[in-house]
Each structure stands twice: as C-alpha cells, then as structure tokens.
C-alpha cells in the first residue's frame, strides 16, 4: 500500500491558503459599502493577517479589522440600518456618560461576536472607512488617501485629523 503525502500550497501573494472565503467577504463588503476593495484587503492583512478570529492582547480589538468595542458599536449604530443590520443597530444605546452599550447581555454578546464574521466585519469596515473619509475631508480640506484612512482606522478620525494637520504644519517634526 502506498500513501501519498502532499505539501501545502505556497501562499499566493502572502495570503494563507483557505483565505478565499475571507477575501470574497471583503470584496462583497467593499461593494455593498461603496469602499475600495484594495484598501479594505490591505487593512485586513495588516490588522489580522486575514484571520477573522484574531484577538488583540491588551485591548478589546477583535476580528479581521481589529474593531474595538466602542468603534464597533458606534459604526453599527450609525451605519447598520443602511446595511441591513437594523435589528442589531436598534439594540445599541448611548448611556448618560456618552458610551455606547447593549443593555441585553445576550444581544451584546451576539453583536460583539459579529466582529469575527468576515462578511459583517467587512461591511462595517467599509462603513467606517466612508465615515472616516468624510470626516478627514472636512477636517483637512482635501480628499484623504489610503495612508490617511489607515491612520484614521487606527487613531479614529479626530486623532488622525490632528496628527495629519500637525504634520502638514510642522513637516520636519
């Protein structure tokens, strides 16, 4: 009896084998949210190496795009209804302190687990990117490029706008 052993295929373009499902989810999310596929793909590679189950140590960041809880809840609350996620968006409430929360623990758990769903995470990343682009355009008086958008993904739109404005005023610092 002969046994045939095969070696795994080499990653294509630095992408792990089996990532086709994730890449297709990102493509679909880009199309549905009106966001650039290439930008979303690069962001997911940078943030999670295309691992939908990625979890940061030391923060609540989870999923392909490493959404922290508050950013996830805000994006869901703001953009979820337009993207077919009204059921979840309506469960998110703002507390007196201004934080976002989901009072029902089971629903909260369900909503936060969606960060690990490639399709929904890609939709939300697209929505966040569009929101960041609009905020940066207003703050900077110009269309943001991919690097600007990535800074906003990491720092938030306000943090990115401050950093970018400062770098334009003081380019040597």
């Amino acid at each position: 009896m002969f046994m045939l052993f095969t070696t795994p295929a080499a990653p294509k373009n630095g992408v792990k084998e089996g990532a086709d499902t994730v890449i297709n989810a990102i493509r679909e999310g880009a199309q549905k949210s009106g966001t650039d596929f290439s930008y979303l793909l690069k962001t997911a590679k940078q943030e999670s190496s295309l691992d939908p189950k990625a979890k940061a140590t030391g923060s609540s960041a989870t999923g392909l795009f490493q959404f922290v809880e508050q950013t996830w809840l805000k994006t869901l609350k703001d953009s979820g209804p337009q993207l077919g996620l009204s059921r979840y968006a309506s469960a998110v409430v703002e507390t007196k302190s201004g934080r976002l929360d989901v009072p029902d623990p089971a629903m909260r758990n369900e909503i936060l687990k969606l960060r690990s769903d490639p399709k929904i995470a890609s939709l939300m990343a697209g929505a966040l990117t569009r929101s960041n682009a609009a905020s940066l355009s207003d703050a900077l008086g110009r269309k943001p490029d991919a690097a600007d958008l990535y800074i906003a993904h990491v720092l938030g739109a306000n943090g990115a706008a401050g950093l970018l404005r400062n770098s334009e005023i003081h380019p040597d610092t």
Side-chain angles (χ1 to χ4, degrees), residues 21-55:
T21 302
V22 170
I23 292 170
N24 288 335
I26 295 169
R27 182 174 286 109
E28 183 179 323
Q31 289 169 347
K32 287 184 177 179
S33 66
T35 307
D36 180 61
F37 165 71
S38 177
Y39 169 78
L40 288 183
L41 180 62
K42 287 176 186 174
T43 300
K45 283 181 181 179
Q46 181 66 33
E47 292 295 308
S48 67
S49 298
L50 298 180
D51 178 3
K53 304 294 184 202
K55 173 88 174 87

Side-chain angles (χ1 to χ4, degrees), residues 11-173:
K12 295 182 269 180
N13 300 324
V15 176
K16 296 175 188 171
E17 199 176 351
D20 288 345
T21 302
V22 170
I23 292 170
N24 288 335
I26 295 169
R27 182 174 286 109
E28 183 179 323
Q31 289 169 347
K32 287 184 177 179
S33 66
T35 307
D36 180 61
F37 165 71
S38 177
Y39 169 78
L40 288 183
L41 180 62
K42 287 176 186 174
T43 300
K45 283 181 181 179
Q46 181 66 33
E47 292 295 308
S48 67
S49 298
L50 298 180
D51 178 3
K53 304 294 184 202
K55 173 88 174 87
T57 55
S59 94
S60 66
T62 300
L64 283 176
F65 298 93
Q66 292 296 286
F67 273 97
V68 294
E69 287 181 11
Q70 285 299 295
T71 303
W72 181 257
L73 295 175
K74 178 166 181 26
T75 305
L76 182 62
K77 182 76 171 167
D78 293 348
S79 301
Q82 301 93 301
L83 297 171
L85 301 168
S86 295
R87 173 178 166 253
Y88 298 117
S90 64
V92 179
V93 298
E94 189 171 345
T95 66
K96 289 180 184 178
S97 68
R99 291 187 51 82
L100 296 169
D101 193 22
V102 181
D104 177 344
M107 179 60 91
R108 177 181 173 74
N109 188 43
E110 186 176 342
I111 286 171
L112 293 177
K113 279 185 178 179
L114 292 173
R115 294 179 294 173
S116 295
D117 179 308
K119 287 185 177 186
I120 294 177
S122 296
L123 275 174
M124 293 290 92
L128 177 63
T129 301
R130 288 178 55 102
S131 174
N132 285 342
S135 294
L136 288 176
S137 290
D138 290 346
L140 302 174
R142 63 173 174 80
K143 183 179 177 185
D145 62 21
D148 299 334
L149 292 172
Y150 186 70
I151 293 168
H153 180 83
V154 174
L155 298 178
N158 290 336
L163 177 71
L164 293 167
R165 276 193 307 262
N166 189 49
S167 70
E168 290 171 357
I169 294 168
H170 307 288
D172 296 329
T173 59

